[in-house]
Amino acid sequence: MADYDLAIIGGGLNGVSIARDAAGRGLRVILLEQGDLGAAASSASPRLVHGDLAGLERRHFLRVRSALAERDVWLRIAPHLVRPMRFAIPAHSEERPIWQLRSWLLLYDRLAARSGLPASATVDVTHHPLGNALRRPFGTAFEYSDCVVDDSRLVVLTAMDAAARGAVIRTGARCTRAERGREWRLVTKDRGFRQVVTARSVANVSGAWTPSVAETVLRVPPPKLAAVQMSQIVVRRLFDGDNIYVFQNSDGRLIFASPYERDFTLIGTVSHPFKGDPAVVAMAAGDVAYLCEAANRYFRERIETVDVVRTISGANMARNAADRRDGAMTLDHGRGKAPLLTVFGGDVTTSRRRAEQAVSMLTPFYPMSPCWTARAPLPGGDFAWSDFDNVVEDVRERWRFLGEEAARRLVAAYGSNVKEILGEAKARSELGPAFGPELTGAEVRYLMQKEWARFPDDILWRRSKLGLTMLPADRDALAAFMAAS
């Protein structure tokens, strides 16, 4: 008898979503990730959970409606990670006409009729706070509702839920060879140690590594895919308020400028074909300049390339533009051959549904329970999204030493599970050593014990973004603390 029903190669959002779905349907699951969870493209997304307004321009009405339905699912099951926002599109006489933008948004409202989020509106930005950050002469803007998400934490909490339902999650475990018969025999290098596991089926969900894993590890013909690089920039905060600006660039692209970790602005996305090592994806200087120029067309405060404090890039695989949005999957099986499921592409919004469809493809081979992930909250998400501010206030009431910003950060990251970090502490000093003004030893220990954090970057850039502001001395102290724990 095989050790597992399903072995998953790859710990990005697709991989952990499949692990969660399959484990919850009763399958014995192991996930193998060569590095950290969500360390590649899954932590380099535009951080949007949306219906894709630009899809209306391409007449992808069914796709937009389906994505908007998924947006509502995410609000229900991850209210701490997925937050509603108002998006503002300044009208530009040189780009799409006003009547077209208004028509798009009316249709967007109709397609999202049951969401409970505010409908679109026309705003005179000459007499509205939205106009404070904009150059003149943008007299009119259109507002609509969509959501943002902490993509890296979404990966980790999905893996946590998979583990809580019985899945084995192994980070730092690289699959080096696989032998296929009636079951799979996988040879892994797990944190330096050689191990062998067997599984009745394998899912290749390794993102930009999908073709190379197929060819060199699984030894099957690689799928014909093209790598696509997505990149964004982080600059100082360019505007007040919690809205997101959507800018129409001169080449027809929509560029998003989002509040990012309180003191910064995230601007993106630019994408283009990628060739090279997916472990080393760097943003080209021309792409940085492109996004700066796009922002400068609209913002009153100019930015230059020297103002960029961080670039964010990742590469993923797709066959075409539709794959980049919705993803794709194939199933290879036959007499005497254990099933091989390959899943690639897709965005954050459709990841849950994509995993559900992928696991359902295995139903001819296993008895399993029905689909369930659209109803079950992720860890810490056992409250309504509209109650987020109330949860923050409850946390401040119980742990009175927390300020507003600290409480909001903790609830946004952990939801109701914040109690597992703070415990019965009556003062911040009871949470262990401090690494800068926000991170404590108690939080670090939690991340190491519960969320597979092994190195400082796992915490500073994926489980949080505290690396943006942490001083070198605090970073060194964190590294020493983790090494000794």
Side-chain angles (χ1 to χ4, degrees):
M1 180 180 177
D3 301 324
Y4 299 96
D5 296 316
L6 175 62
I8 300 168
I9 302 174
L13 186 54
N14 279 339
V16 297
S17 298
I18 290 172
R20 175 181 184 241
D21 189 292
R25 292 210 224 177
L27 301 189
R28 297 169 301 144
V29 177
I30 184 171
L31 182 144
L32 304 170
E33 163 55 45
Q34 64 179 350
D36 185 29
L37 297 171
S42 293
S43 57
S45 81
R47 294 166 63 97
L48 301 178
V49 170
H50 64 143
D52 185 21
L53 184 65
L56 298 180
E57 188 171 35
R58 299 186 292 271
R59 301 181 181 275
H60 296 161
F61 305 127
L62 292 178
R63 181 182 299 161
V64 171
R65 184 173 66 178
S66 179
L68 287 169
E70 283 300 296
R71 184 192 70 183
D72 294 344
V73 170
W74 283 121
L75 274 172
R76 185 168 63 247
I77 70 175
H80 46 329
L81 304 181
V82 178
R83 303 299 303 147
M85 299 280 278
R86 292 294 276 175
F87 289 57
I89 309 178
H92 198 302
S93 59
E94 299 175 7
E95 307 301 340
R96 299 165 181 86
I98 287 179
W99 68 264
Q100 186 181 56
L101 292 175
R102 185 178 286 114
S103 298
W104 282 8
L105 292 173
L106 289 173
L107 178 56
Y108 208 64
D109 289 341
R110 291 289 299 274
L111 295 174
R114 294 183 298 276
S115 71
L117 298 181
S120 61
T122 303
V123 178
D124 179 1
V125 295
T126 59
H127 304 286
H128 192 281
L130 281 174
N132 293 342
L134 298 176
R135 295 175 58 191
R136 303 300 182 196
F138 298 111
T140 300
F142 296 97
E143 275 194 318
Y144 68 98
S145 295
D146 256 326
C147 298
V148 294
V149 63
D150 187 327
D151 49 5
S152 301
R153 289 213 56 75
L154 185 62
V155 173
V156 173
L157 293 192
T158 301
M160 285 182 68
D161 199 38
R165 298 173 190 277
V168 175
I169 308 295
R170 290 187 182 172
T171 61
R174 183 167 61 92
C175 185
T176 59
R177 191 173 75 253
E179 298 173 0
R180 186 184 193 184
R182 293 188 179 277
E183 61 184 37
W184 287 93
R185 181 178 182 272
L186 306 176
V187 180
T188 69
K189 191 172 184 180
D190 191 342
R191 306 193 185 196
F193 295 95
R194 181 182 183 274
Q195 295 186 352
V196 176
V197 298
T198 57
R200 295 173 62 190
S201 62
V202 162
N204 179 6
V205 200
S206 50
W209 288 266
T210 298
S212 62
V213 167
E215 186 172 20
T216 63
V217 177
L218 304 175
R219 290 177 288 182
V220 298
K224 297 187 186 317
L225 304 175
V228 178
Q229 176 177 334
M230 304 171 296
S231 299
Q232 293 127 121
I233 59 174
V234 178
V235 299
R236 65 185 181 275
R237 188 70 181 259
L238 296 178
F239 56 92
D240 297 323
D242 290 330
N243 60 283
I244 292 177
Y245 288 99
V246 185
F247 297 147
Q248 304 175 78
N249 207 23
S250 56
D251 58 6
R253 282 193 178 112
L254 295 181
I255 303 298
F256 295 84
S258 313
Y260 189 72
E261 302 301 315
R262 293 199 305 265
D263 299 324
F264 302 92
T265 299
L266 179 71
I267 302 174
T269 300
V270 59
S271 60
H272 53 72
F274 172 78
K275 291 184 179 179
D277 183 355
V280 186
V281 184
M283 189 172 183
D287 290 340
V288 175
Y290 171 89
L291 291 177
C292 289
E293 182 181 351
N296 288 336
R297 292 186 70 204
Y298 288 85
F299 282 129
R300 181 174 298 174
E301 185 175 355
R302 287 187 59 84
I303 55 172
E304 307 296 339
T305 56
V306 295
D307 297 316
V308 175
V309 298
R310 181 170 173 80
T311 63
I312 302 172
S313 295
N316 208 343
M317 288 290 176
R319 295 172 303 193
N320 48 49
D323 287 351
R324 289 198 296 273
R325 178 77 170 124
D326 295 332
M329 60 197 73
T330 62
L331 180 64
D332 175 36
H333 65 94
R335 176 173 293 183
K337 293 198 308 182
L340 170 61
L341 179 65
T342 303
V343 182
F344 52 87
D347 70 354
V348 172
T349 307
T350 56
S351 59
R352 185 210 62 85
R353 187 187 64 203
R354 186 162 53 254
E356 184 177 86
Q357 293 169 341
V359 175
S360 295
M361 293 179 72
L362 296 173
T363 53
F365 309 98
Y366 313 106
M368 62 177 75
S369 51
C371 301
W372 63 279
T373 56
R375 301 179 301 276
L378 291 179
D382 51 348
F383 58 91
W385 63 264
S386 56
D387 288 339
F388 181 89
D389 289 337
N390 294 332
V391 175
V392 172
E393 288 305 310
D394 290 344
V395 167
R396 292 195 67 196
E397 180 67 23
R398 180 171 175 183
W399 292 280
R400 293 179 177 271
F401 57 88
L402 290 177
E404 169 73 21
E405 290 186 352
R408 188 167 291 274
R409 180 187 75 84
L410 290 170
V411 173
Y414 306 103
S416 60
N417 279 358
V418 70
K419 61 183 179 292
E420 297 190 28
I421 297 172
L422 301 177
E424 299 301 321
K426 304 297 184 185
R428 192 175 188 275
S429 59
E430 297 178 25
L431 298 176
F435 310 101
E438 298 190 64
L439 188 63
T440 65
E443 186 174 356
V444 173
R445 282 191 291 268
Y446 174 86
L447 293 171
M448 295 179 70
Q449 294 167 6
K450 303 290 188 178
E451 295 195 6
W452 301 278
R454 295 186 294 150
F455 305 109
D457 279 0
D458 299 344
I459 292 176
L460 297 179
W461 296 112
R462 286 180 285 280
R463 281 132 189 101
S464 78
K465 299 296 183 291
L466 295 175
L468 284 166
T469 55
M470 184 171 285
L471 297 175
D474 291 320
R475 189 188 303 268
D476 293 342
L478 173 62
F481 179 83
M482 295 182 70
S485 296

